[in-house]
Amino acid sequence: MSLVHFCLSPLLLHPIFPLYALYHHFPPSVHLGPCRNRRNAVDAFRVNVIHARQQVRSPVTNIARTSFFHVKRSNIWLAAVTKQNVNAAMVFEFLYKMCDVMTAYFGKISEENIKNNFVLIYELLDEILDFGYPQNSETGALKTFITQQGIKGQHQTKEEQSQITSQVTGQIGWRREGIKYRRNELFLDVLESVNLLMSPQGQVLSAHVSGRVVMKSYLSGMPECKFGMNDKIVIDKQGKGAASDDAGKSDLGGGSSGKQSIAIDDCTFHQCVRLSKFDSERSISFIPPDGEYELMRYRTTKDIILPFRVIPLVREVGRTKLEVKVVIKSNFKPSLLAQKIEVRIPTPLNTSGVQVICMKGKAKYKASENAIVWKIKRMAGMKESQISAEIELLPTNDKKKWARPPISMNFEVPFAPSGLKVRYLKVFESKLNYSDHDVIKWVRYIGRSGIYETRC
């Protein structure tokens, strides 16, 4: 495994230590700034975390009175190092933001890309950190004065330099002025992950939806955007009759449920959102960054639409045979299609052979994973399909019964399982000559499985 190790110090309370990059193949470390005993710190992290015999699960490791905060991206490690008592959440926020910035500049974070873009990374850190303290980490602002090749523009006019200064030090650091497009477009994706744990009898033991609203903005000037959804608090304020009419007229995109409102348990927003207006009026208004960004995250636990129901039946025939039957039922509109459906049925460790019969899709026993994997390309709503399997078992002296791990499921559906709907998305630009009607808007709903399990 190749790796890159970024070493940062405490955030906000104390300055951040400079960064390192080093690799699994043990060449000399590539140092991104002065730091005492950097070789000792790097070696300690490598021996005690990366090459530890036991799998490291905690993201924070203490070695010789030094704390290592670390995250991992594929085969790359990023670690922040401190000897002070710091705000751990802020350290991790900085590490994740650094990942986002590097991804925006040179794509996938890999050993090769780190080596090829070393000068660019050094320059980014020089702008993001000032005397060890985080400053502006917004990609849109950084790209105005750090080029893709990592070379600063040497021939900037005084006007351009003043614009950069005002953007970095002003209130709108995430968007520069003077942006122009031939066609003004907005792309909005509602991406949700539904998590479920169900009993064999069909009782929901736990369920929640984690969602994100991701936008791509290609708008000229400095537009003001307003975003509305079927939040229960807003609907109750407006009144049931008015809300019903408004929702019927102005819903953007499509969903599978007729729910008029949803109860959002908690949510977080991009820095461009005016939180004071959301707290007082429950309206989401903002000046959008240019390009792609995550507008908000949210979580809901009530009235979740469960796209699929899994009905398991496991029967033991003596000590050397198991009969398994699993039925899946889709619970959404017949006009919608679910895709990338995969059901994983666990098998005992002493399985010697499996015979599988399925009417739809393809099923295969994978001995290395101790599971029957059943895949279906597409499935319409309000349909059902089933799989049957006979499992031959080897005789064993172990008296302990098989624990029967839960059946897990993966899928993708074209609606939001929480019931969230975009009621309106409006754009206002006073300086330039275009209105909300001139903006082309695209809305898409995607629901995916998180940990979607049924006990058997």
Side-chain angles (χ1 to χ4, degrees), residues 271-433:
Q271 61 174 324
C272 66
V273 176
R274 295 186 176 91
L275 295 180
S276 57
K277 279 197 174 184
F278 181 76
D279 292 336
S280 59
E281 305 172 13
R282 208 69 178 181
S283 66
I284 303 172
S285 60
F286 56 98
I287 296 175
D290 188 43
E292 185 174 354
Y293 56 97
E294 183 179 278
L295 181 66
M296 67 175 290
R297 286 177 179 251
Y298 59 92
R299 184 175 181 272
T300 180
T301 56
K302 295 180 180 178
D303 301 325
I304 295 172
I305 304 164
L306 299 176
F308 287 95
R309 167 86 189 278
V310 179
I311 305 171
L313 179 63
V314 180
R315 190 167 71 93
E316 296 183 13
V317 183
R319 290 190 173 184
T320 59
K321 190 175 181 181
L322 275 178
E323 291 181 354
V324 177
K325 181 181 177 182
V326 176
V327 179
I328 59 171
K329 294 183 178 181
S330 55
N331 181 33
F332 46 88
K333 288 182 179 180
S335 58
L336 301 176
L337 283 175
Q339 298 183 23
K340 303 175 183 177
I341 302 164
E342 181 181 290
V343 181
R344 302 180 72 86
I345 305 166
T347 59
L349 296 176
N350 60 327
T351 299
S352 61
V354 177
Q355 292 183 344
V356 182
I357 301 173
C358 62
M359 302 301 293
K360 189 174 183 179
K362 294 181 179 180
K364 185 179 180 181
Y365 168 62
K366 294 189 177 181
S368 59
E369 301 175 18
N370 291 310
I372 300 169
V373 180
W374 179 24
K375 294 182 179 181
I376 301 174
K377 287 185 178 180
R378 296 180 189 85
M379 188 172 181
M382 308 308 293
K383 298 286 185 180
E384 70 174 60
S385 189
Q386 71 176 41
I387 182 174
S388 301
E390 288 188 359
I391 302 172
E392 300 291 337
L393 305 176
L394 293 171
T396 177
N397 295 326
D398 191 0
K399 295 182 180 180
K400 189 177 180 181
K401 284 189 176 182
W402 180 43
R404 292 194 181 186
I407 297 171
S408 61
M409 190 173 183
N410 295 323
F411 55 82
E412 185 177 294
V413 291
F415 63 89
S418 68
L420 183 140
K421 287 184 180 180
V422 179
R423 294 175 56 236
Y424 61 83
L425 180 58
K426 298 178 181 179
V427 181
F428 306 94
E429 171 52 73
S430 57
K431 292 183 180 180
L432 299 181
N433 190 22

Side-chain angles (χ1 to χ4, degrees), residues 80-91:
V81 183
T82 180
K83 288 190 174 182
Q84 308 287 345
N85 184 18
V86 298
N87 187 334
M90 295 302 296
V91 176

Side-chain angles (χ1 to χ4, degrees), residues 51-96:
H51 296 296
R53 291 184 179 179
Q54 296 180 350
Q55 185 179 3
V56 178
R57 294 184 178 180
S58 172
V60 182
T61 304
N62 293 313
I63 305 169
R65 298 182 181 179
T66 303
S67 298
F68 292 82
F69 301 80
H70 46 86
V71 297
K72 195 177 181 184
R73 286 289 178 271
S74 61
N75 62 339
I76 305 297
W77 294 75
L78 290 90
V81 183
T82 180
K83 288 190 174 182
Q84 308 287 345
N85 184 18
V86 298
N87 187 334
M90 295 302 296
V91 176
F92 283 114
E93 178 67 21
F94 186 86
L95 287 175
Y96 286 123

Side-chain angles (χ1 to χ4, degrees), residues 93-158:
E93 178 67 21
F94 186 86
L95 287 175
Y96 286 123
K97 192 63 183 177
M98 192 66 204
C99 290
D100 294 340
V101 171
M102 289 191 292
T103 302
Y105 268 89
F106 52 79
K108 185 180 179 181
I109 300 175
S110 64
E111 178 182 346
E112 183 180 1
N113 284 345
I114 294 291
K115 287 179 178 178
N116 293 338
N117 294 278
F118 168 71
V119 175
L120 172 60
I121 294 172
Y122 196 112
E123 193 169 4
L124 286 170
L125 290 170
D126 189 44
E127 294 295 341
I128 293 173
L129 300 177
D130 193 5
F131 292 100
Y133 291 92
Q135 301 297 317
N136 193 344
S137 59
E138 191 62 36
T139 307
L142 291 170
K143 283 191 174 183
T144 60
F145 47 92
I146 297 181
T147 66
Q148 290 283 352
Q149 292 75 25
I151 303 172
K152 290 188 178 181
Q154 299 295 327
H155 303 287
Q156 293 172 338
T157 64
K158 290 184 178 181

